[in-house]
Amino acid sequence: MSSNSSSRGSIEEPAVVNGNAGYRPRKKPRSEHSNNDESLLEFVSLPDDALRSVLSYSAPNVDHQRWEWAGIVRQTCKGLHRFASEITPSAMQLGDFARYESVVRPGKLVDARGKILQALSEVRWMAESLTEFHVNWMGVVSIVNERPYKYRARYKAREGEDSIVVADLFSLLMTPSSLPNLKWLDVAACSSDYVLGIVIENDLLTLLPSALPSVTKLTLVGLRGRYKGALISPSQSELFIAQLHSTLTSLSLIHFPGMSDCVVAAILPLIGSNLKCLELSGFNLTDGAMRVIARECQNLRSLSITDSRITVLGLSNVLSANKNIVRLNLSDNKSLGRETMDVIVRHTPQLQELRNCTWLRDYMYEKETDWLVGGLDSLIDEQLRRSGGSEISLRTIAIAKRTSLATDVNVASLRRALERGLKIVEAELYTTTVRPSSWNTPDGVIIRALASDFPRCSFVDYTYTVHVDGSECNYPYQGPYTTR
């Protein structure tokens, strides 16, 4: 197609995502080009409001297809670029492109992950439009079994296509200013069945700050060292945080290689005063880390300390310094016992979300960990007292333990919370002796089965193994075995 006809606004091939490599539109006779150009000029001459309405109405309903649609609109005519910007998404989930249905080739699902990563590297308007980038384990792992109704789905990373996706992802994240306006990087490399081979090492930590100069939220879940037992040292972690160009307000390091009290002591003095959300996980975290958090962080709204050895004393120090916390996750902490709820009620009675998921066997814990449901009445009483008896502020609880709802007393506490405003219950329902049908749940209540139930609970949502505040890793795959 000649450059002259291109400048008049003729339609060329979409350059964003296309399931058929090498696809080009058929060549049209010169008279047909002329008619198309006249129609395009008439369309572009419409009032702005009319153009905006037509383009918005024509755009796909699925967000990830809007990237391709925005590319088509941009290539149609330069006069439509500003309208294309209005329909361009700001967030992207890489897993959505694992089985992608192209706008120009509907009816066929293709793997477009490599193409979308390449487009982010080469197409500047795409890179500049992206403010949230979510890469969960489904984004880089191929599905082996598509219909796992009878057996749990199995996943594996193929040496060919999947490893190329990981390599392209790393190339993108290690290129200076590759995503200049990105605010949130969310990389989750593990699930209940699979630990992905995404390696985090010094090269990535060194180059990531220059690739993401605007990042303020950083979520890294389930990454591992290059070799077995390889750890990220406190000095490497400190250097990485110090090199960031913008101020972090949210940091989530879950199963981070080398996470310890020393790492917390190295990084929090640099960013703690600005953090609104802090999520850490690691068996080597003790009350020493909690003392650092209490000293450096006083503005937290969301806190998650999981799979650690913290005690009630350390928890009390942090909560007393952060009384505005509304989301709290204390799952798999082996040294927290029944007195935990007393500390929560005393320091942060305004909680909206509270999670205590215990995935290990009882003998692996130092204390009785079933403190959430057992102490739920005390939290309800305090919230009712503060609200004047109207309703509670608690909206979500997670109680993944086989015995959590096995007694009438615990079920009565749950029913009371549901009647007073609780909206979401996440539980290990399959092994629970009391079924949700006996809870008398009000309208609008959502019941979710946690990971150990999957895929046996067909009447509820399937959700996460390790919860991360707002992260896409909590809901890894909306496929044939998801029940909503």
Side-chain angles (χ1 to χ4, degrees), residues 367-381:
K367 295 188 176 183
E368 172 55 52
T369 57
D370 192 14
W371 50 262
L372 195 159
V373 177
L376 188 57
D377 275 331
S378 61
L379 182 59
I380 295 174
D381 290 339

Side-chain angles (χ1 to χ4, degrees), residues 12-310:
E12 299 178 359
E13 62 170 315
V16 182
V17 178
N18 197 321
N20 299 290
Y23 161 75
R24 304 189 71 87
R26 63 183 178 86
K27 293 185 178 180
K28 300 178 181 179
R30 188 175 298 275
S31 60
E32 192 172 346
H33 276 305
S34 178
N35 293 335
N36 285 344
D37 290 343
E38 292 177 2
S39 300
L40 181 60
L41 289 175
E42 291 179 2
F43 176 69
V44 175
S45 64
L46 292 174
D48 286 358
D49 290 343
L51 280 173
R52 186 174 290 106
S53 299
V54 171
L55 292 175
S56 299
Y57 180 79
S58 305
N61 294 326
V62 183
D63 284 344
H64 60 274
Q65 288 184 326
R66 285 176 175 254
W67 289 100
E68 181 181 2
W69 178 249
I72 295 173
V73 173
R74 280 177 172 272
Q75 290 194 340
T76 299
C77 176
K78 288 184 178 180
L80 299 179
H81 282 195
R82 57 195 178 97
F83 299 102
S85 299
E86 296 178 6
I87 62 174
T88 302
S90 60
M92 179 183 293
Q93 166 61 267
L94 184 61
D96 290 337
F97 296 90
R99 286 179 303 282
Y100 180 75
E101 183 178 8
S102 174
V103 174
V104 297
R105 287 289 186 270
K108 181 180 179 181
L109 298 178
V110 297
D111 187 348
R113 295 171 300 170
K115 289 184 177 294
I116 196 66
L117 289 173
Q118 182 180 4
L120 286 174
S121 299
E122 299 175 356
V123 183
R124 200 59 189 166
W125 67 263
M126 289 186 63
E128 292 176 349
S129 299
L130 195 62
T131 60
E132 290 185 21
F133 191 30
H134 302 278
V135 184
N136 63 11
W137 57 279
M138 265 304 304
V140 284
V141 177
S142 297
I143 298 179
V144 177
N145 186 357
E146 289 263 349
R147 299 181 60 84
Y149 293 108
K150 185 175 181 182
Y151 303 103
R152 186 180 293 263
R154 303 295 178 184
Y155 308 94
K156 72 174 183 179
R158 297 178 303 196
E159 294 181 358
E161 191 170 336
D162 291 335
S163 62
I164 293 175
V165 171
V166 173
D168 290 343
L169 174 63
F170 266 59
S171 176
L172 178 67
L173 297 180
M174 296 170 69
T175 302
S177 298
S178 57
L179 300 174
N181 299 318
L182 192 74
K183 302 295 184 183
W184 185 9
L185 177 65
D186 176 20
V187 179
C190 67
S191 72
S192 58
D193 280 330
Y194 191 86
V195 178
L196 185 64
I198 291 186
V199 174
I200 184 169
E201 54 186 6
N202 201 38
D203 288 344
L204 177 61
L205 292 179
T206 302
L207 298 175
L208 191 62
S210 61
L212 313 176
S214 303
V215 68
T216 59
K217 296 179 64 176
L218 185 61
T219 301
L220 301 177
V221 181
L223 307 188
R224 64 176 180 83
R226 170 68 65 181
Y227 307 105
K228 184 177 181 180
L231 305 177
I232 303 299
S233 69
S235 60
Q236 289 175 323
S237 301
E238 181 181 12
L239 181 61
F240 166 63
I241 295 296
Q243 289 178 333
L244 292 174
H245 296 249
S246 53
T247 302
L248 283 184
T249 59
S250 177
L251 178 63
S252 303
L253 300 177
I254 311 299
H255 303 314
F256 189 77
M259 177 54 63
S260 65
D261 293 354
C262 294
V263 171
V264 175
I267 65 177
L268 283 191
L270 302 176
I271 58 173
S273 60
N274 298 300
L275 286 179
K276 304 295 183 184
C277 173
L278 178 63
E279 298 178 301
L280 303 174
S281 173
F283 183 73
N284 291 323
L285 293 176
T286 68
D287 283 351
M290 300 299 277
R291 286 192 292 271
V292 176
I293 296 173
R295 183 177 68 248
E296 303 295 341
C297 306
Q298 284 86 39
N299 299 306
L300 294 177
R301 299 279 293 172
S302 176
L303 175 66
S304 174
I305 305 293
T306 62
D307 194 23
S308 73
R309 293 184 290 166
I310 66 170

Side-chain angles (χ1 to χ4, degrees), residues 276 298-303 318-328 341-354 376 378-387 391-397 422:
K276 304 295 183 184
Q298 284 86 39
N299 299 306
L300 294 177
R301 299 279 293 172
S302 176
L303 175 66
V318 173
L319 296 188
S320 63
N322 294 272
K323 293 184 178 293
N324 292 323
I325 289 176
V326 294
R327 290 181 294 274
L328 183 61
M341 188 62 85
D342 296 334
V343 173
I344 293 173
V345 172
R346 182 164 65 250
H347 296 299
T348 55
Q350 73 287 345
L351 283 180
Q352 298 174 8
E353 297 181 16
L354 181 57
L376 188 57
S378 61
L379 182 59
I380 295 174
D381 290 339
E382 179 61 22
Q383 292 193 349
L384 287 176
R385 186 186 69 80
R386 288 172 171 262
S387 67
E391 66 175 9
I392 60 177
S393 59
L394 191 65
R395 291 293 180 264
T396 301
I397 62 171
L422 185 66

